[in-house]
Amino acid sequence: YLSTSNETVFVNWPGTEIDTHSQEGVRKKLFQDYNCVPVFLQNELSVPFYKGFCHSILWPIFHSMEGSVDYMKLPNLYEDQNAYISANQ
């Protein structure tokens, strides 16, 4: 409903590291085909950002699955949270 009544632009990490030389082509293709603006992250940031904070902490909380929070990730919480903040700036 939302995308048929309004212009929607998706801003998202493509799920993998894209080398610098390929980023412009990937950016154009994703916007042209999917109205998507990719956010390119280096692996050093994407691992704690996605696998750490997003997947292990935020996803369970936002999906009412607090019992699924990966408490083994808590020792790295500060590092993972900083990666999340950096990725979203």
Side-chain angles (χ1 to χ4, degrees):
Y1 173 78
L2 181 63
S3 63
T4 59
S5 62
N6 297 296
E7 181 179 352
T8 304
V9 176
F10 299 95
V11 179
N12 199 1
W13 170 58
T16 189
E17 185 172 11
I18 307 293
D19 69 87
T20 305
H21 301 293
S22 301
Q23 289 180 3
E24 188 57 32
V26 170
R27 183 179 287 111
K28 287 179 182 178
K29 180 75 172 161
L30 288 174
F31 190 77
Q32 178 182 350
D33 292 358
Y34 303 103
N35 220 26
C36 179
V37 177
V39 176
F40 299 113
L41 303 174
Q42 300 296 318
N43 282 338
E44 304 84 51
L45 185 61
S46 67
V47 171
F49 159 73
Y50 181 73
K51 291 185 178 179
F53 199 72
C54 290
H55 186 71
S56 299
I57 306 294
L58 292 181
W59 194 91
I61 291 171
F62 288 143
H63 290 87
S64 300
M65 300 177 67
E66 294 85 0
S68 298
V69 171
D70 186 351
Y71 291 101
M72 298 301 290
K73 295 284 185 180
L74 290 181
N76 297 328
L77 181 62
Y78 184 74
E79 176 186 332
D80 294 348
Q81 182 183 16
N82 282 337
Y84 177 83
I85 292 167
S86 294
N88 283 287
Q89 290 183 342

